Amino acid sequence: MKVLITGAAGFIGSHLVEKFLIQGWDVVGLDNLLTGKLENIEDYFQEPNFTFIKYDVTNFLYVKGKLDLILHFACPASPVHYMKHPIHTMKVDSLGTLHALGLAKEKGARFVLASSSEVYGDPEVSPQDENYRGNVSLTGPRSVYDEAKRFSEALAMAYFRQHRVDVRIARIFNTYGPRMDPDDGRVIPTFIKQALLKEPITVFGDGTQTRSFCYIKDMVEGIYRLSTKEGISGEVFNLGNPEERTIIEVAQLIKALTSSPSPIVFKPLPQDDPKRRKPSIEKAKKILGWKPKYSLEEGLKEAMPWFRGKILGS
Ligand code: UDP
């Protein structure tokens, strides 16, 4: 079996490369290295079943030979990154998704879209289940990502309905773990870096906004099940950990786990920062037989040696 993974050098993409290689698949990884890093996948370069192609999926996409599965994971995912590259973000989730879907149609391959909890915007209901239609700003700074992911979902469903491509959509909620770029601005790597360097931990707003954090190993297992299960064409699944935490709690937890003397300081809340985010994962539990195993404490403890090595070099 052969899988093409776009965004293979990214945080989640690189863990998917590892998972599919372990499961005996031939893996072709694609990345333009805008936000992905070669070091995330350098361990797999000597694997005979792994091929890496540096490529930007906003260009016409073709891969020789058969393909059974395409995982479309290319896209800057951190708010700092996608606001720095707003137009490329919109291109990758429009032109890039179009090219990846066209290739899936051509090869008769299954197609898995990495969508996001951002399609729910600043939700008015909690928890968010797959039927919730969201509360998204069309023009705010986050719209380049939110609307692009919504467009990608609509396009994927059009390929499912018109061309019968076996499409599945994963709405991925906040995920963390090794290989997250400590400088990408997302809350967990930022707080860990600040705590380890004994710098102030920067909570935005009053810290009462919530997120629900899923450990990468749990997320990869969920994506693998969604990718390999038969009979779920055209289905959308929330994947995430429903354990909801305030950002101030996360700051305190990371400070405690690192025994850091860092003070917690408050900075202005970015525009349109969602107030709450908590997935309902009832559908994934029932149909995929999946639920996260790691609590936030367990995941952070397991990931901490990697972050220490990366940030402190020890
Ligand atoms: N956040 C924070 N301090 C930081 C970075 C982020 O308080 O240094 C907050 C941010 O305002 C948001 C939450 O943490 O409420 C999660 O932010 P992140 O960028 O990780 O992802 P998001 O869930 O907003 O896409």
Side-chain angles (χ1 to χ4, degrees):
M1 299 289 269
K2 189 169 169 186
V3 57
L4 171 71
I5 304 178
T6 75
F11 164 49
I12 298 182
S14 67
H15 285 278
L16 290 170
V17 168
E18 179 178 85
K19 175 76 176 176
F20 278 84
L21 285 173
I22 288 170
Q23 297 294 327
W25 289 61
D26 289 329
V27 178
V28 181
L30 231 65
D31 206 300
N32 69 346
L33 304 178
L34 178 69
T35 57
K37 298 234 160 45
L38 273 188
E39 65 190 60
N40 286 341
I41 46 172
E42 65 193 2
D43 286 353
Y44 315 122
F45 284 151
Q46 70 271 33
E47 297 283 339
N49 297 346
F50 181 57
T51 313
F52 177 71
I53 305 168
K54 183 173 181 290
Y55 196 74
D56 186 332
V57 290
T58 64
N59 299 313
F60 176 76
L61 181 60
Y62 193 75
V63 173
K64 271 196 247 153
K66 74 153 192 169
L67 274 182
D68 301 290
L69 175 64
I70 297 177
L71 301 179
H72 185 43
F73 276 67
C75 189
S78 142
V80 171
H81 284 163
Y82 63 68
M83 289 187 222
K84 189 171 162 204
H85 304 286
I87 295 172
H88 203 80
T89 299
M90 296 208 79
K91 280 187 182 173
V92 78
D93 263 311
S94 52
L95 296 173
T97 305
L98 180 72
H99 296 149
L101 280 161
L103 186 61
K105 173 177 167 256
E106 166 71 20
K107 301 282 185 184
R110 183 172 285 172
F111 182 89
V112 174
L113 175 68
S115 185
S116 167
S117 52
E118 281 289 316
V119 299
Y120 300 127
D122 189 6
E124 299 140 306
V125 300
S126 187
Q128 298 86 52
D129 70 22
E130 291 85 352
N131 295 319
Y132 179 51
R133 293 183 180 186
N135 175 35
V136 177
S137 163
L138 284 76
T139 51
R142 295 176 86 106
S143 65
V144 295
Y145 185 76
D146 301 9
E147 290 292 357
K149 287 291 180 194
R150 289 169 71 98
F151 177 83
S152 277
E153 288 201 18
L155 193 61
M157 290 308 290
Y159 270 74
F160 166 66
R161 294 197 180 98
Q162 187 174 336
H163 295 307
R164 308 314 294 171
V165 174
D166 181 357
V167 158
R168 292 103 192 270
I169 296 172
R171 290 191 185 142
I172 298 171
F173 284 65
N174 295 65
T175 302
Y176 67 98
R179 299 191 192 145
M180 247 183 143
D181 178 356
D183 294 314
D184 81 359
R186 279 185 284 189
V187 67
I188 286 188
T190 303
F191 285 180
I192 292 176
K193 185 173 179 186
Q194 291 167 336
L196 291 176
L197 295 179
K198 304 181 172 51
E199 292 169 355
I201 297 176
T202 53
V203 168
F204 296 161
D206 61 6
T208 58
Q209 72 273 32
T210 68
R211 296 292 186 272
S212 306
F213 295 97
C214 186
Y215 190 51
I216 183 67
K217 280 191 185 163
D218 285 329
M219 180 54 65
V220 164
E221 182 58 30
I223 295 165
Y224 187 76
R225 289 192 189 195
L226 176 140
S227 304
T228 52
K229 189 167 175 71
E230 297 302 322
I232 53 168
S233 284
E235 293 289 339
V236 180
F237 290 88
N238 282 343
L239 294 179
N241 189 324
E243 195 195 338
E244 187 179 18
R245 302 291 181 102
T246 62
I247 294 303
I248 188 83
E249 271 179 76
V250 175
Q252 283 156 351
L253 179 59
I254 289 174
K255 183 172 151 72
L257 284 174
T258 51
S259 308
S260 173
S262 293
I264 293 176
V265 299
F266 294 89
K267 300 270 179 191
L269 190 68
Q271 189 186 336
D272 292 343
D273 197 281
K275 281 304 285 171
R276 315 189 62 171
R277 198 182 279 152
K278 173 183 164 77
S280 160
I281 56 163
E282 293 313 307
K283 186 172 175 185
K285 273 189 193 163
K286 198 169 146 209
I287 298 176
L288 306 177
W290 172 85
K291 65 172 195 241
K293 294 193 175 114
Y294 283 80
S295 68
L296 181 58
E297 285 79 357
E298 288 166 339
L300 286 173
K301 277 186 195 152
E302 188 171 299
M304 205 54 86
W306 183 88
F307 278 108
R308 269 185 201 282
K310 185 83 188 153
I311 293 160
L312 301 176
S314 63

